Amino acid sequence: MKPEKKYPKEVYLNGKWLKPDEAFVSVFDRAFMFGDGIYEVTPFYKGKGFKLKEHLKRLQYSLDQIQITFDAFSLEKLMLEAIDRAGLHNADAAVYIQLSRGAGARSHFVPEKIETSILLYAFGVTLEGFEKKTWHVMASEDKRWYRCDIKSTALLANVMANEAAISAGFHENLLLRNGYFTEGSHSSLFFVKYGVVYTHPEGPEILSGITRAEVINICASLNIKVIEKTVHFDELVEVEEVFVTGTTTQIIPISSITHHNKKVYTTRKDSLTKKLQEVFIKRTRR
Ligand code: PDD
């Protein structure tokens, strides 16, 4: 069964707070027509933003990469206002930010005069209890573009990968480029082999996950060795633990991986993942 998702009560759109059924953009909005926009999702634990600056920094990076002139850090106040207005100071929540290039007569080149469109809202999300979950996942070919470092709203390949997983009864789809694991359709990916943690290096093939960076940092604090090197499908036989991370995912161990209807991995251990979860909870709930 797919979880039911609800609209937020209110959204900020280009200077106004509106009910979702009152918030409209032009049919010529370039995020609508081309996926010409970028986004960010920032977690708030009981009203407190976690790694807010890092999320805004990544938003600024995406903006710079697609050459939208806008100061991401100017949105910090609005993010806090969104949490406030939604009455989410005592709950777990996230803030969604989307910046579109704006509306203009359709052309593949970017019109000279165009106004950035801003959408922002807070929504409640369950961030607690992830340590009790395990995910069964599938693996398939990574069919995304070669700039996965840009947090683009053009997520069709991610949507197709996730839909394939969810409709087949899996929790996530782990993506493979030329036989090497990149990441999940909406999560970063880690492997443990002989006590060493492996994750795909940053670059055009993955999103630089903020939770990923925090996990690497936690490993350093625990003297656990991390190698930012991609893992090949054939190495799965040596893998002891697999886990995925993300803002709404948190840290979840993978109990099995299915590829072409064949189970190619079942969990062997979970002790290292458990240790990371413990420290992560302490850091986020401080
Ligand atoms: N997704 N990789 C991909 C492709 C993602 O979409 C995400 C997050 C991550 C994890 O990044 P972070 O730890 O910074 O959340 C990795 C968000 C939450 C989303 O699209 O809703």
Side-chain angles (χ1 to χ4, degrees), residues 90-220:
N90 284 317
D92 287 341
V95 171
Y96 179 81
I97 303 172
Q98 178 178 310
L99 289 125
S100 161
R101 176 96 49 199
R106 187 176 184 276
S107 66
H108 280 69
F109 63 83
V110 175
E112 261 168 29
K113 271 207 178 136
I114 191 151
E115 224 168 284
T116 308
S117 170
I118 309 162
L119 169 70
L120 185 153
Y121 61 85
F123 60 100
V125 60
T126 309
L127 299 174
E128 267 177 5
F130 65 89
E131 69 283 4
K132 295 183 194 90
K133 296 184 194 165
T134 60
W135 278 3
H136 293 276
V137 303
M138 61 176 279
S140 69
E141 202 188 321
D142 194 339
K143 293 181 178 153
R144 299 174 301 162
W145 69 332
Y146 206 67
R147 286 308 305 273
C148 300
D149 54 318
I150 298 173
K151 207 162 165 58
S152 160
T153 56
L155 286 172
L156 184 56
N158 302 62
V159 166
M160 286 171 76
N162 195 255
E163 177 58 22
I166 302 300
S167 59
F170 297 108
H171 292 98
E172 175 56 304
N173 197 339
L174 308 185
L175 307 175
L176 288 155
R177 209 187 266 270
N178 302 322
Y180 289 91
F181 285 101
T182 52
E183 59 182 339
S185 71
H186 64 92
S187 55
S188 308
L189 178 59
F190 290 83
F191 297 90
V192 183
K193 219 174 75 172
Y194 306 115
V196 176
V197 173
Y198 291 83
T199 192
H200 197 292
E202 289 183 301
E205 293 174 335
I206 63 158
L207 179 76
S208 290
I210 307 295
T211 322
R212 174 188 177 277
E214 187 64 6
V215 163
I216 292 174
N217 186 285
I218 292 172
C219 286

Side-chain angles (χ1 to χ4, degrees), residues 182-254:
T182 52
E183 59 182 339
S185 71
H186 64 92
S187 55
S188 308
L189 178 59
F190 290 83
F191 297 90
V192 183
K193 219 174 75 172
Y194 306 115
V196 176
V197 173
Y198 291 83
T199 192
H200 197 292
E202 289 183 301
E205 293 174 335
I206 63 158
L207 179 76
S208 290
I210 307 295
T211 322
R212 174 188 177 277
E214 187 64 6
V215 163
I216 292 174
N217 186 285
I218 292 172
C219 286
S221 76
L222 295 172
N223 278 323
I224 296 168
K225 189 170 177 184
V226 179
I227 303 180
E228 292 186 55
K229 184 173 169 282
T230 178
V231 166
H232 194 274
F233 182 80
D234 294 343
E235 288 174 72
L236 277 182
V237 287
E238 294 173 291
V239 166
E240 294 146 12
E241 295 180 46
V242 184
F243 59 93
V244 287
T245 69
T247 290
T248 48
T249 305
Q250 306 279 278
I251 304 172
I252 297 191
I254 300 304

Side-chain angles (χ1 to χ4, degrees), residues 31-49:
F32 178 61
M33 278 200 156
F34 293 101
D36 188 356
I38 47 117
Y39 77 105
E40 192 56 52
V41 186
T42 308
F44 280 73
Y45 295 85
K46 303 268 178 279
K48 203 163 178 323

